[in-house]
């Protein structure tokens, strides 16, 4: 019995030894790599870039008062359309004390002079009727009384302007009525009734009563990196997409490239502008964030392969062409001349033909 146990133990040890030897042998054999293969094809390539920015009117007009004072009435609010010359707000003038006293004094003096001139004229009129004075003296007296009347009216108008900023004779041209200077949409009315406003002058920009813009003339304003700005030129077509209007794209035309870059986050950025064409049926608001897609290069019907198949070695490029797949894959390292790339596929100018199988950088299953 013991003899059979020993024999069985020896057999078991032998199997374990053979199994271990076989396992180690298999592990020591070099692994056969199987690569995914790709096919060269004829296709169109486009190299694009995307600039981020926003939509805004080409011109935003700031409406300023022509006189200082306090906002008496606001007739319009943001979002309303206005015509050129339409009143947006009315300013109530707060007279300056020194100017008011001077204007009142001028009126009093003009009244005194006017009364005296009227008296003198009546006297000269009587004497002229009695033929005691010449016609020349009478005419001079008449001129004097007319000048005195005119000066009195001018002094009264000046006092009214100082008090109210307007005269009865010039009500339609009143500087207290703030009017729009263009047809357009009111984007903002930053003032309220009771706010003080300052007129625009050499030393002060003045208070903005409203911002008005023509929303039928919109532009995209954004930035592009210096590595791509050299490929741009005025007149290039641009495709605009808006974050607020999903699944919609608008045609635009590049019309401005800044000659000077601005550093942002360590990179030089150049401002660009593009005129955007928006259908009348769609409402686009000022300030919408937008992306502008610009085609930098195009290649029509060229030989292409996925860029992952290219091996870059210094200034040279190579590709591995499949020469045999049985019993194992074999490849030939072929130098090639490449062209433009769209980031996924790359143009092959020389070294390959259509339909050839090439090695990918990825391993197959």
């Amino acid at each position: 019995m013991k003899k059979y146990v020993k024999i069985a133990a020896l057999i078991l040890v032998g199997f374990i030894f053979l199994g271990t030897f076989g396992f180690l042998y298999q592990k020591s054999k070099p692994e056969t790599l199987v690569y995914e293969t790709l096919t060269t094809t004829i296709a169109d390539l486009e190299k694009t870039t995307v600039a981020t920015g926003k939509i805004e009117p080409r011109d935003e007009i700031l409406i300023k008062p022509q006189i200082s004072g306090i906002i008496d009435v606001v007739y319009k609010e943001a979002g309303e359309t206005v015509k050129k010359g339409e009143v947006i707000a009315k300013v109530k003038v707060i007279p300056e004390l020194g100017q008011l006293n001077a204007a009142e004094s001028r009126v009093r003096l003009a009244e005194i002079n006017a009364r005296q001139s009227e008296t003198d004229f009546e006297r000269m009129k009587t004497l002229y009727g009695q033929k005691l004075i010449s016609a020349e003296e009478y005419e001079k007296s008449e001129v004097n009384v007319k000048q005195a009347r005119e000066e009195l009216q001018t002094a009264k108008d000046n006092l009214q302007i100082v008090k109210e900023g307007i005269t009865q004779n010039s009500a339609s041209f009143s500087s207290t009525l703030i009017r729009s200077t263009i047809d357009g949409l009111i984007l903002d009315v930053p003032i309220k009734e009771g706010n003080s406003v300052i007129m625009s002058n050499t030393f002060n920009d003045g208070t903005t009563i409203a911002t008005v813009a023509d929303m039928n003339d919109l532009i995209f304003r954004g930035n592009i990196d210096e590595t791509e700005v050299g490929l741009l030129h005025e007149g290039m077509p641009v495709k605009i997409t808006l974050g607020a209007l999903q699944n919609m794209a608008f045609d635009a035309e590049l019309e401005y490239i800044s000659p000077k870059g601005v550093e942002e986050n360590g990179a030089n950025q150049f401002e660009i502008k593009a005129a955007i064409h928006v259908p009348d049926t769609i409402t686009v608001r000022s300030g919408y964030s937008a992306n502008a897609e610009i085609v930098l290069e195009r290649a029509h019907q060229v030989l292409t392969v996925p860029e992952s198949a290219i091996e870059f070695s210094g200034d040279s490029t190579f590709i591995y062409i499949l020469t045999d797949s049985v019993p194992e894959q074999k490849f030939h390292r072929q130098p090639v001349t490449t062209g433009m790339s769209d980031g996924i596929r790359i143009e092959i100018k020389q070294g390959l033909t259509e339909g050839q199988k090439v090695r990918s950088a990825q391993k197959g299953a």
Side-chain angles (χ1 to χ4, degrees):
M1 185 68 181
K2 290 182 180 181
K3 181 180 178 180
Y4 291 114
V5 172
K6 288 180 180 181
I7 293 172
L10 289 173
I11 294 173
L12 180 61
V13 171
F15 276 116
I16 293 174
F17 176 78
L18 291 174
T20 303
F21 178 79
F23 174 77
L24 293 175
Y25 175 75
Q26 290 295 329
K27 292 291 289 184
S28 65
K29 289 177 65 177
E31 182 180 355
T32 301
L33 296 179
V34 178
Y35 289 92
E36 179 184 350
T37 58
L38 308 169
T39 304
T40 58
T41 56
I42 301 295
D44 294 333
L45 295 181
E46 283 188 350
K47 181 180 180 181
T48 62
T49 186
V50 176
T52 59
K54 63 181 180 179
I55 301 300
E56 58 186 43
R58 184 182 300 279
D59 296 306
E60 293 186 5
I61 306 302
L62 303 180
I63 308 299
K64 308 277 187 176
Q66 296 177 328
I67 193 168
S68 300
I70 293 176
I71 296 297
D72 189 28
V73 183
V74 178
Y75 298 104
K76 299 289 184 179
E77 61 182 21
E80 294 187 53
T81 57
V82 290
K83 296 292 185 181
K84 182 178 180 179
E86 193 171 352
V87 178
I88 297 175
K90 180 180 180 182
V91 175
K92 180 180 180 181
V93 176
I94 304 300
E96 195 271 326
L97 188 58
Q99 292 181 342
L100 181 61
N101 288 336
E104 289 176 342
S105 176
R106 180 181 175 183
V107 170
R108 289 193 294 268
L109 290 174
E111 287 175 342
I112 293 172
N113 291 332
R115 283 195 298 268
Q116 184 61 47
S117 296
E118 293 285 355
T119 301
D120 292 343
F121 177 67
E122 290 298 327
R123 185 183 300 117
M124 298 300 287
K125 186 176 181 181
T126 301
L127 293 175
Y128 180 70
Q130 296 174 355
K131 301 189 182 297
L132 297 176
I133 59 173
S134 65
E136 182 181 1
E137 291 178 296
Y138 172 75
E139 290 171 356
K140 286 183 179 180
S141 177
E142 188 177 20
V143 169
N144 289 337
V145 75
K146 288 181 179 179
Q147 289 178 340
R149 291 169 184 168
E150 186 65 28
E151 170 60 24
L152 177 59
Q153 185 59 49
T154 301
K156 289 180 178 179
D157 288 345
N158 181 66
L159 178 60
Q160 193 172 11
I161 290 174
V162 171
K163 284 183 175 181
E164 303 175 10
I166 185 178
T167 65
Q168 293 180 351
N169 295 330
S170 61
S172 60
F173 305 101
S174 172
S175 58
T176 61
L177 298 177
I178 312 303
R179 303 174 185 271
S180 176
T181 55
I182 63 168
D183 294 345
L185 180 73
I186 299 177
L187 302 181
D188 186 28
V189 180
I191 49 88
K192 297 180 180 179
E193 293 181 6
N195 287 161
S196 297
V197 295
I198 302 173
M199 65 180 292
S200 167
N201 54 48
T202 306
F203 307 102
N204 196 300
D205 290 337
T207 306
T208 298
I209 301 297
T211 303
V212 182
D214 180 5
M215 296 301 290
N216 294 319
D217 188 9
L218 299 174
I219 63 170
F220 165 85
R221 186 195 298 269
N223 294 316
I224 192 167
D225 191 82
E226 65 176 336
T227 58
E228 298 172 327
V229 71
L231 300 174
L232 301 183
H233 61 82
E234 285 82 359
M236 292 181 71
V238 180
K239 191 69 68 176
I240 304 293
T241 55
L242 307 180
L245 300 176
Q246 299 294 331
N247 302 322
M248 296 189 67
F250 303 93
D251 293 326
E253 183 176 309
L254 189 64
E255 61 179 24
Y256 172 79
I257 305 169
S258 174
K260 181 180 179 180
V262 178
E263 186 174 344
E264 291 184 7
N265 300 322
N268 282 338
Q269 300 288 318
F270 289 80
E271 183 182 58
I272 61 172
K273 298 177 186 177
I276 180 173
H277 310 294
V278 180
D280 295 335
T281 56
I282 298 175
T283 300
V284 175
R285 303 181 186 277
S286 177
Y288 273 171
S289 60
N291 291 329
E293 182 179 308
I294 309 171
V295 178
L296 301 177
E297 291 182 89
R298 279 193 176 95
H300 180 64
Q301 293 296 291
V302 293
L303 184 65
T304 67
V305 296
E307 194 164 347
S308 61
I310 298 295
E311 178 187 288
F312 296 92
S313 179
D315 295 333
S316 302
T317 51
F318 300 90
I319 200 164
Y320 289 86
I321 303 174
L322 180 66
T323 59
D324 197 356
S325 58
V326 179
E328 62 181 29
Q329 291 177 324
K330 292 182 181 180
F331 297 93
H332 168 66
R333 189 171 186 254
Q334 172 73 24
V336 292
T337 302
T338 59
M340 69 161 288
S341 168
D342 64 1
I344 299 175
R345 301 186 69 84
I346 190 169
E347 177 187 0
I348 303 298
K349 292 185 174 181
Q350 189 175 0
L352 288 179
T353 58
E354 183 182 3
Q356 284 186 293
K357 299 288 186 178
V358 297
R359 191 182 81 180
S360 170
Q362 299 178 359
K363 297 177 183 179

